[in-house]
Amino acid sequence: MEDGGAESETHAQFKSSLPREEKDKLKKLLVLKVYKRRWFVLLVLCLLNLSNATLWLSFAPVSSQTASYLGVSLAQVNWLSLVYMLLSVPLSLGTTWMLDTLGLRLTLIVGSWLNMTGAVIRFLGAALPEYDASSRYPVVLLGQAISALAQPLIIFTPTKLAALWFPVHQRTTANMLASMSNPLGLLLANILSPLLEDYGGVPTITLAYMVPPCVSCLLATVGVRSSVPPTSPSPSAQSGPEPFLQGLKLLVKNRAYLVLMLCLGSGIASFTCFSSLLDQILCVQGYSNEFAGLCGALFIIWGIVGAGLLGVYVDRTKKFIEVTKINLSLSSVACAAFSVVALMPGQQAAVAVVCSLFGFFGFSVYPVAMELSVECSYPVGEATSAGLIFASGQVQSVLYMFLLQSLTTPLAPTPGSMCGEGPQSWRVPLMLLAGLCAFFTSVFVLFFRSRYRRLEAEEQACYGSKEGPVTSNQEPPTGYDQEPPNGYDQGCSTIGPDQDHLAGYSEAVVV
């Protein structure tokens, strides 16, 4: 008791000895807190994103075997993947409204139940007996469609979760972890589906991929107890977003956001076409399906590595614009290089290196660009600004896929071709894809100009006034470093488990 009293007296003496300006800063410092449970909420979202991605491409790596088992054509098997793209676009506005209006918790729970329900229906359809084999495909397609309904509810959420639960110096990293769990799921599907098909066929595939959605649904329903933490981790999280319709009006008038939506949507479409058409492009020059799968895996793996490095760097420096412009420019160079080496036979090493670079520079910038969309559109809700960009990418993906495939020309079968029947020339489509990447990157580099509106608002909330707009050419505002220096000279930081020396000045307990 005496020790506790002495400690309180020491705290009181310390506080009374501070200048009034430092007292005000210390008071504001104690308003913001972080909670350990934020990592659990992030884990739930990562599991949901990963499991939904595995459901999306469960059958693509084993399309021939799936067509044989379900008794349908390859074109019908392709619809098991295309249904995701077709349903996500019309649901985009509804999903962004739900996230920004009804909250994170309800969105995660609804998405997890749709994800699990679709996975269970897929398994039940694949497990139908032989005498009812004709019903397998419709039931599996129904399950895929229900899981597709969950995709926008899950994939639009990372920026919202990062803004509501994480402090300023961890937002980009949290967004990166949640966003990159989706391509990790695609990678696992490409690796595991052929192994599971060899072990037990399509029913085994659907059974194995049913487990993660069930686990994530249980965790989301039972473990996620609130949409927001009891105390906000950052000043911007304390203020609610603009109403949905008002947010849309602000976005339409925001030139910087429109440029970002168009150019980043084009980048998403380019990456989608690359991933979807890689096997068809490489087989013409004699590259095997296994090598094409390796190149696709390298694209994703190096994209995840690059995203991790960029997330840590941007969290520390807040250089969203510089990182996005540089990476998109380098990814355009990699795309142009791929359009050359992919048409040359016997260049396995060059093709593998170019695919790795394309992923490292292009695929990795997605989380940073999503955070940039929030910075340039604040105070519009995070789900609205990020969701419309994803929808733009999906729409452009459909257009790009149709355009590129329509420009292919038939080739006579050659001894070195690995395409089987009907090889196609991809020279013109690849040149067009490289040109589109270069064009939209140039538009973004030349015409995207924006202040960091969210950082500005947070600085104003901390200090009560702004010394000037926060732009890409400035250092981050005081108070956005990861560790507060001695003397509490930061006006905007957070209390967490790693800052126990502040606990004596707050009545709340960090949990």
Side-chain angles (χ1 to χ4, degrees), residues 246-300:
Q246 179 63 24
L248 291 179
K249 294 178 181 178
L250 291 176
L251 291 180
V252 171
K253 299 176 182 179
N254 189 330
R255 190 184 72 170
Y257 177 82
L258 295 177
V259 171
L260 179 62
M261 182 177 68
L262 179 64
C263 297
L264 184 57
S266 175
I268 294 173
S270 299
F271 302 143
T272 300
C273 292
F274 174 85
S275 302
S276 303
L277 303 174
L278 184 61
D279 178 66
Q280 300 177 45
I281 294 171
L282 294 181
C283 70
V284 179
Q285 301 301 330
Y287 298 108
S288 65
N289 293 339
E290 291 75 15
F291 178 72
L294 172 63
C295 290
L298 289 173
F299 174 75
I300 294 175

Side-chain angles (χ1 to χ4, degrees), residues 382-393:
E382 296 84 3
T384 303
S385 57
L388 291 183
I389 289 179
F390 181 81
S392 170

Side-chain angles (χ1 to χ4, degrees), residues 39-122:
W39 297 109
F40 174 79
V41 181
L42 178 62
L43 173 64
V44 171
L45 178 57
C46 288
L47 288 176
L48 283 171
N49 217 345
L50 185 146
S51 63
N52 188 261
T54 57
L55 296 179
W56 180 10
L57 290 188
S58 300
F59 308 110
V62 289
S63 55
S64 299
Q65 297 90 327
T66 302
S68 176
Y69 180 79
L70 298 179
V72 295
S73 64
L74 286 174
Q76 289 174 291
V77 172
N78 290 337
W79 275 102
L80 296 175
S81 301
L82 289 174
V83 68
Y84 267 72
M85 192 177 298
L86 293 176
L87 290 179
S88 63
V89 174
L91 292 175
S92 296
L93 288 179
T95 299
T96 55
W97 171 84
M98 186 174 183
L99 262 172
D100 285 334
T101 305
L102 302 183
L104 179 68
R105 179 176 182 268
L106 180 61
T107 303
L108 283 180
I109 292 176
V110 172
S112 67
W113 277 93
L114 287 172
N115 198 44
M116 184 190 70
T117 302
V120 172
I121 292 176
R122 283 170 18 123

Side-chain angles (χ1 to χ4, degrees), residues 300-321:
I300 294 175
I301 291 172
W302 282 104
I304 294 174
V305 172
L309 296 175
L310 287 183
V312 174
Y313 175 76
V314 173
D315 264 336
R316 292 181 177 274
T317 64
K318 307 304 175 190
K319 295 184 181 295
F320 299 96
I321 295 177

Side-chain angles (χ1 to χ4, degrees), residues 62 65 69 123 191-209:
V62 289
Q65 297 90 327
Y69 180 79
F123 169 69
I191 295 174
L192 295 178
S193 288
L195 299 177
L196 294 171
E197 204 285 327
D198 291 339
Y199 181 77
V202 174
T204 302
I205 293 175
T206 56
L207 175 61
Y209 291 152

